[in-house]
Amino acid sequence: MSPSRRLIAGIAVVTLAGAAVAASTGRDDLSLEDLARVRAVTAPAQTFDKAETFEAMPGGAATVKKIVNRDIFSHPSANLSFEGRQTFAVGNGLFRKDWVTSPSSTQASDGLGPLFNARSCQGCHLKDGRGHPPASAADDAVTMLVRLSVPPSGDAERQALADRRALVIGEPVYGAQLQDFAVPGLASEGRVTITYEDVPVALNGGETATLRKPTLDIADPGYGPMHPDTMTSMRIAQPMIGLGLLEAIAESDILAGADPDDADGDGISGRPNYVRDPETGEIALGRFGWKAITPSIRVQSASAFSGDMGLSSPPAPDPHGDCTQAQADCRAQPTGVQTALGADEVPGDLLDLVVFYAANLAVPARRDSDDPAVLAGKAAFYAAGCAACHTPKFVTRRDAEHEALRFQLIWPYSDMLLHDMGEGLADNRPEGDAHGREWRTQPLWGIGLTKTVNEEATFLHDGRARTILEAVLWHGGEAQAARDRVVEMTPGERANLIRFLESL
């Protein structure tokens, strides 16, 4: 065989071997050499006497190292190009933009509502951070919303859920979300009020933590009584950092952590939530939202424009948003659709700018990752079993959509899967494949800066937890054993665990 033929044959062997590995691992974006590097660098930590290499950079090269202040969640990916930073800045302007009621002389800014929860994206995601429930009966719920649904009532509705044309069956009059604001002259759908019951938890060492269990009430319903079987679920706004990196995680790496029937018997399952992408019509892995109900930042953004502000875009084209056919006064209101500006209130190119902004909000650098107390807390985190769901590391795809986010070692501390979190956190409201006790593992990066960005921010899906420790103590279901180990820790060990979480 000639040298050239031997070379071609060798390349073919390597290519076939690579294809075989890709088929077995799903990482069709990696060479054999890359795959070996990825597997080595994402292996779980074995020692805790020093920080791991690159641990201080949770967003890889996209990590931002700016001064820590209220703006720390609002910076672009550190490795973004000059042109990318320009696009990010324009997207930021749209993210902060206040929309107004139609008709209006502003033209490009009208279309708000008719029913809505906020006037801007920034209105819910304060400083791009986490929201909170109303602090009192007099407060509005602008950084929190309430989802509504009812059980299916016939074969057509059951089939719609089965083939994923619908994730839920909305309340017949109020729809899938309660909007507590409306344009002038139109009734809002109601007012959110929350009362709390104290739940004491005795901790080893003599301390007692007091949790608060929320009860939701919807006062002043604007469109009559709700269906008697209405299911509700409170959701605070989530932090926006690192979304593009989460989107760039290989699907196969997420599914590698799934164990829906707990085949390994460790008490941890992990299930994907498969949803239908409204743009492609295809079934896709859900990645975003408290129950992983949207497959992409673009769909998540379009859903928020529609449900939260009543604004149409290509993936969600109804300009009346969540107004149902039973809300005739709402459907009769003018919209912001203007022929000269296209078919949607938020045209596709504007939506793309917001999506680019959301995808490139950078994760802040770790603080004190090599501090002895932080390292001791990290060891406690692993020993308690928290890392079974809060997966520390991934390497993003080489062919990810955004160049700045490609092939980055990232540290989100989430497996992106659904887990049964027990009765204490259950909303008893199914959504897609997620049942009423399941929630997506929340990424932990940036959690220690939550109150730096918004001092009123709280934790968990309904914001019931005022501190990180309270959030840990609410864990049940698959996380019950890990939660119990935290209760049994000495006060010093718990303090170290919290120090570690605060450093993320």
Side-chain angles (χ1 to χ4, degrees), residues 240-482:
M240 299 288 295
I241 57 172
L243 297 184
L245 292 167
L246 297 178
E247 191 173 56
I249 297 174
E251 180 172 326
S252 59
D253 283 356
I254 295 173
L255 297 181
D259 184 14
D261 300 318
D262 191 21
D264 62 6
D266 67 352
I268 307 296
S269 60
R271 295 199 307 133
N273 195 355
Y274 284 106
V275 299
R276 189 174 293 279
D277 188 313
E279 289 198 292
T280 66
E282 302 293 326
I283 302 298
L285 176 68
R287 293 176 185 249
F288 300 106
W290 286 103
K291 288 188 186 256
I293 60 168
T294 53
S296 66
I297 300 170
R298 183 176 169 85
V299 173
Q300 178 74 19
S301 300
S303 299
F305 270 122
S306 176
D308 302 350
M309 292 182 280
L311 295 162
S312 62
S313 64
D318 187 344
H320 286 97
D322 194 38
C323 295
T324 66
Q325 296 300 325
Q327 294 170 311
D329 289 348
C330 184
R331 304 295 304 185
Q333 294 290 325
T335 72
V337 174
Q338 299 167 59
T339 305
L341 299 177
D344 300 295
E345 292 162 316
V346 182
D349 53 348
L350 294 190
L351 177 65
D352 289 342
L353 290 166
V354 174
V355 171
F356 186 89
Y357 171 75
N360 282 287
L361 279 162
V363 180
R366 286 276 303 279
R367 287 82 53 214
D368 305 321
S369 58
D370 56 354
D371 183 281
V374 170
L375 290 169
K378 179 182 174 183
F381 181 86
Y382 274 74
C386 307
C389 301
H390 288 285
T391 305
K393 296 172 274 185
F394 290 93
V395 172
T396 60
R397 291 188 64 91
R398 267 202 182 279
D399 55 0
E401 178 180 358
H402 301 289
E403 183 177 355
L405 310 181
R406 293 173 187 162
F407 204 54
Q408 299 296 324
L409 171 61
I410 63 172
W411 306 68
Y413 285 91
S414 169
D415 62 5
M416 305 287 284
L417 295 168
L418 299 171
H419 292 275
D420 184 334
M421 295 300 292
E423 194 58 35
L425 289 177
D427 65 356
N428 299 308
R429 178 178 178 273
E431 202 162 7
D433 293 332
H435 63 60
R437 290 161 54 110
E438 287 183 317
W439 300 95
R440 186 199 66 162
T441 305
Q442 181 71 3
L444 298 180
W445 50 17
I447 193 170
L449 297 172
T450 297
K451 290 184 183 292
T452 299
V453 173
N454 173 17
E455 61 184 16
E456 295 182 278
T458 49
F459 304 92
L460 297 176
H461 64 279
D462 53 13
R464 69 177 68 187
R466 293 158 294 189
T467 66
I468 294 175
L469 178 59
E470 287 184 24
V472 172
L473 296 176
W474 271 111
H475 281 48
E478 296 175 33
Q480 184 70 45

Side-chain angles (χ1 to χ4, degrees), residues 76-77 80-94 352-354 356-357 360:
S77 302
L80 206 55
S81 65
F82 179 77
E83 293 77 11
R85 287 173 182 272
Q86 286 184 309
T87 305
F88 179 89
V90 177
N92 186 16
L94 292 167
D352 289 342
L353 290 166
V354 174
F356 186 89
Y357 171 75
N360 282 287

